[in-house]
Amino acid sequence: MKLSRLLKAVDVVRLSAPGFPVPDPEIRSLHYRSQTVQPGGLFIAVPGFRADGHAFIDDAIRRGAAAVVTQQPVSCDAVVAEVADSRRALGRLASRFYGEPSKQLVLIAITGTNGKTTTSYLIEQILTSAGYRVGVIGTIGYRYGGKTFETPVTTPESLDLQRILADMDRDGVSHVVMEASSHAIDLHRLAGCEVDVAVFTNLSQDHLDYHLDMDRYWACKERLFTEILARGAKRNRAVAVVNGNDPRGRLLSEKLTVPCFTAGESDGNMIWSPDFRFSLAGITGRIVTPEGNFSFTSPMTGRHNLENILCAVGVGAALHIPFSAMEQGIEVLTAVPGRLEAVPDRQGRFVYVDYAHTPDALANVLSALKPLVTPAARIICVFGCGGDRDRDKRPRMGEIAGRFSDLAVITSDNPRTEEPLAIIRQIVTGASRAGGRFYRPGELRETGSADKGYVVEPDRRKAIRLAVAVSRPGDVVLIAGKGHETYQIIGSGTIPFDDRAEARQALDEYEADSLDNTGGS
């Protein structure tokens, strides 16, 4: 594509070149990392957290960049297009370069603190049941046409996102379900995306290391609806789906200029459930929509998952999906990786791995499990908090775990560059407020923990084994925080670590020890 044609996607403040007139080279590729630049490529200099792309312009030119896009005046041996915001320009240039793929697709964007991944899986199954070819982009990676790919962030950088959308479009995908993180919205990764349906799941404390306070965090989430959805090329047919159970969701629904489906448990919402029942086997009930109602059965459980289901049905209603496809889509989704994912135990424990890493998410999953266990059974919760992230949530999560579980096993999550014990001490201040006894690991193994309390075991592998060792048949063991992740971040590096694999290993070892002690074979 000629540079002049490509630049029509952005407002150029200044166009310059070493010679005159300014040449109009053929652009063969786009890049935001100088080390990936190929001859004939366009390098977009983007300010980053650790480095500024403007410092690598000369390197990009040495590698063959035909032109560069900047957001500040520079002097170099290439064509320079200066724009006001190179991050925003990156997405718009990428969209134009790849043929504006989001215009050819039905794009559904989901934002919220918790529930994005589960809601995306539900929408995927509903659309698939309706006969559509669906692509999904989110925390667990992106997938379409039977192919799965990893991605380092929930919402890819705008250039990568536009390439993925173009690949999906070429493969025959008709609908794309995408998780839109607050970072992605704030950093303009959705620039160049035309959204058909935007979904808000909920808002609770998270990412305050980046957003600083809840008002800024909310203002960022809100932009998906007030800017990207309401001002895009699809605005005349765009629809919002909002969780009406959430206070921010109710406020959002009142100010939107596009049609809005509210979803919640009460009849004050357009999508709601007049009767529902929870059990360890799942949720059953009936859902009412403006077009009628239908019964549903879901293998997932918990009030938070009912909210996710209602939001997914809201998308189905917005897209006029038949009730039969909605019912089937809800029923066939048996599990989402790392979201209350069961680890089978032949001795009768209920072991789950969940991604809950915020106060609200941990409270949701523990409160969902609490009424489902027998009076004699206990809930044992293994969890920690990530390093180099929001420190204020650590005591809150400690208090929640202490309040909702019978035994909280406090351990490491992804400590990153922080000292694990320093993180744990902040968690313990909250756990101690919830009451209960402080145990030492050796004391727990001897007594089996009859009284409510908490224990500290910094080694996550040992913490999981401790939780299994002190649990009994009928108990629930929840391993929270990492979910689908298959690594642990320690310092600036990663090591292989999968809570699900560790739980299976712990259960196998415990079963083998039990057989040895009883003389079994």
Side-chain angles (χ1 to χ4, degrees), residues 188-253:
H188 304 300
R189 292 180 193 159
L190 273 65
C193 286
E194 301 293 349
V195 177
D196 294 82
V197 183
V199 183
F200 171 70
T201 59
N202 50 64
L203 190 85
S204 62
Q205 183 175 333
D206 199 14
H207 304 306
L208 295 193
D209 53 299
Y210 179 86
H211 296 288
L212 303 180
D213 59 53
M214 289 298 291
D215 287 338
R216 290 176 181 163
Y217 181 34
W218 167 240
C220 183
K221 295 284 190 188
E222 195 177 37
R223 279 164 48 195
L224 174 63
F225 301 85
T226 58
E227 295 181 13
I228 298 170
L229 184 71
R231 299 181 190 174
K234 297 176 178 177
R235 60 186 176 275
N236 291 331
R237 65 174 188 270
V239 180
V241 176
V242 171
N243 179 4
N245 286 354
D246 188 280
R248 301 273 189 170
R250 290 194 292 273
L251 291 174
L252 176 62
S253 67

Side-chain angles (χ1 to χ4, degrees), residues 85 210 378 387 427 446 458:
D85 188 329
Y210 179 86
R378 300 168 301 167
I427 298 171
E446 292 174 4

Side-chain angles (χ1 to χ4, degrees), residues 343 353 465 497-508:
V343 181
V353 170
R465 279 157 172 71
F497 198 97
D498 187 328
D499 281 352
R500 297 162 296 188
E502 295 297 333
R504 284 191 290 269
Q505 182 67 25
L507 289 167
D508 289 344

Side-chain angles (χ1 to χ4, degrees), residues 4-80:
S4 58
R5 183 181 166 205
L6 188 57
L7 291 178
K8 290 184 184 298
V10 297
D11 294 325
V12 177
V13 175
R14 187 177 297 104
L15 187 64
S16 61
F20 185 86
V22 176
D24 189 12
E26 188 76 24
I27 300 300
R28 296 184 174 89
S29 55
L30 303 187
H31 310 270
Y32 59 90
R33 294 191 180 96
S34 66
Q35 63 267 34
T36 68
V37 171
Q38 300 170 4
L42 174 66
F43 176 63
I44 299 94
V46 175
F49 295 114
R50 297 179 182 174
D52 188 338
H54 292 81
F56 299 92
I57 289 174
D58 289 341
D59 181 54
I61 293 171
R62 281 194 298 270
R63 294 173 185 270
V68 297
V69 172
T70 74
Q71 65 177 40
Q72 63 191 43
V74 298
S75 177
C76 63
D77 295 328
V79 180
V80 178

Side-chain angles (χ1 to χ4, degrees), residues 356-357 382-386 397 409-413 423 427 460 480-481:
H357 61 283
V382 182
F383 81 105
C385 292
M397 291 183 68
V409 183
I410 302 169
T411 187
S412 295
D413 191 305
I423 299 172
I427 298 171
R460 193 171 182 92

Side-chain angles (χ1 to χ4, degrees), residues 393-470:
K393 73 181 183 182
R394 295 169 185 173
R396 288 188 60 202
M397 291 183 68
E399 187 170 2
I400 286 166
R403 184 153 41 95
F404 285 101
S405 61
D406 297 286
L407 175 66
V409 183
I410 302 169
T411 187
S412 295
D413 191 305
N414 291 320
R416 297 181 177 87
T417 64
E418 284 194 71
E419 170 58 43
L421 284 174
I423 299 172
I424 287 171
R425 281 194 290 270
Q426 291 176 299
I427 298 171
V428 166
T429 61
S432 62
R433 287 200 297 263
R437 177 180 171 185
F438 170 68
Y439 289 95
R440 300 185 185 279
E443 181 186 8
L444 266 183
R445 291 188 182 94
E446 292 174 4
T447 65
S449 165
D451 298 325
K452 186 178 178 69
Y454 61 96
V455 62
V456 170
E457 173 48 77
D459 186 308
R460 193 171 182 92
R461 179 173 285 112
K462 290 180 180 178
I464 292 171
R465 279 157 172 71
L466 175 64
V468 168
V470 302

